[in-house]
Amino acid sequence: MGQTIKATGVADVARTLKIPRKQMRLLLDRFRVTGGKGFRLKHFDPADTAGPLLSRVQAQALLATGVGRLSALQERLYAQDRWSMLCVFQAMDAAGKDGTIKHVMSGVNPQGVHVTSFKAPGPEELSHDFLWRAGRAMPARGQIGIHNRSHYEEVLVVRVHPEILQRQRMPKELIGKKIWHHRLDSIADYERHLARQGTVILKFFLHLSKEEQKRRFLDRLREPGKNWKFGIGDVAEREHWDAYQEAYEEAIAATATPHAPWFVVPSDNKWFTRLVVVSAMIEALDELDLKLPVISRQERAVLDAARLKLEAET
Ligand code: ATP
Ligand code: MG
């Protein structure tokens, strides 16, 4: 499959094509990481498009109908008002976080979804522990929270650039060799706590190849309409590519669990990134078996009375 799969033009076929649950699970299992044992990023191909696991027509169907299906499930999540969902997006620059989030958001009710973009922390945030700002952005019951970058930056960019750690105003006695270990433990504990409270957690690492990043950077530099997307620091960060990959590998291995899985999403093809992310969200919401709230007999009587009153209006 090439780079050009689009949902357009096949909507009618797509709408009638239902992809079996088992096949979806197999597809997602290919990218899902639920434990750290033996985990290596190099086992995942950024250009993977799942080959024989998914036909071209099925891929088109998923792209055409996925967002609609997600929207229907989100409505139930919102109406039921018990579970919440946290989607973490982490990636190297130009991997397609923004485009993927835009795609996910294109079909859902904005009242039930909140996107938070985490930038370098400001003075108030630095006056607190590193999970403080993540906690403030956690989705309420019935809501989906999308974190564009996240608490994981504390073991990624901060690890790659230790000078950032020096600016975090921590007591110096607490900055030792084990700090990354401790941070990863804190993150894993925190996510277990959230899961126990009813937050469904999905973590997406958009896995881009170094060559594709170069192509996308050059695109941004050559095309005037895309210039704004280029951050002047992006090329400097690229020089730390290997250090980032190592930090990602360790972070994913230390925090991947069945209740807070990572998905290593192949990101050299944007259509495939979107397909995997939306499918993983659908699968997770589907598993909750969300039902619209049941109306009791008394409530039904109240509704009937309201209806009769409205109908009697002249
Ligand atoms: P784009 O990919 O579209 O450029 P972006 O997410 O890179 O979007 P930027 O404003 O370019 O947005 O970058 C945000 C920056 O904030 C990143 O370089 C990121 O590493 C940094 N950042 C996020 N969280 C932290 C943190 N906890 N400590 C230090 N830096 C952080
Ligand atoms: Mg950037």
Side-chain angles (χ1 to χ4, degrees), residues 189-263:
D189 288 347
Y190 184 50
E191 291 178 357
R192 188 169 49 198
H193 161 74
L194 290 174
R196 285 176 172 158
Q197 284 290 303
T199 304
V200 175
I201 305 172
L202 302 176
K203 299 175 293 193
F204 299 105
F205 170 54
L206 272 44
H207 187 31
L208 182 73
S209 69
K210 202 173 175 188
E211 300 72 55
E212 181 61 23
Q213 190 195 50
K214 180 177 167 187
R215 253 192 301 278
R216 291 185 190 176
F217 278 174
L218 284 174
D219 243 28
R220 290 175 177 190
L221 288 165
R222 284 174 184 152
E223 279 187 45
K226 289 188 181 170
N227 283 171
W228 66 273
K229 287 190 184 180
F230 188 79
I232 208 65
D234 291 356
V235 170
E237 281 316 276
R238 181 177 161 82
E239 285 170 20
H240 299 285
W241 183 274
D242 291 344
Y244 270 110
Q245 300 295 307
E246 271 172 43
Y248 268 111
E249 192 167 85
E250 218 171 295
I252 292 170
T255 58
T257 62
H259 59 261
W262 275 100
F263 289 83

Side-chain angles (χ1 to χ4, degrees), residues 181-195:
H181 244 53
H182 292 159
R183 285 191 174 194
L184 288 168
D185 273 357
S186 299
I187 291 173
D189 288 347
Y190 184 50
E191 291 178 357
R192 188 169 49 198
H193 161 74
L194 290 174

Side-chain angles (χ1 to χ4, degrees), residues 8-61:
T8 45
V10 293
D12 288 341
V13 186
R15 255 187 281 282
T16 57
L17 192 76
K18 188 116 175 56
I19 291 146
R21 263 192 183 193
K22 202 170 153 206
Q23 187 186 355
M24 276 309 301
R25 177 179 293 270
L26 271 179
L27 173 80
L28 291 168
D29 280 350
R30 189 175 171 102
F31 312 115
R32 183 176 3 237
V33 186
T34 56
K37 201 161 167 247
F39 173 74
R40 299 300 309 272
L41 262 184
K42 68 174 184 198
H43 295 156
F44 293 80
D45 175 7
D48 190 4
T49 51
L53 272 182
L54 193 70
S55 73
R56 193 183 174 88
V57 179
Q58 286 182 319
Q60 287 171 323

Side-chain angles (χ1 to χ4, degrees), residues 93 97-98 118-121 133 149 153-154 157-158 164:
D93 283 309
K97 275 188 289 108
D98 291 5
F118 289 97
K119 310 284 181 191
R133 71 172 181 169
R149 302 190 186 271
E153 290 292 332
E154 293 289 338
V157 69
V158 184
I164 299 179

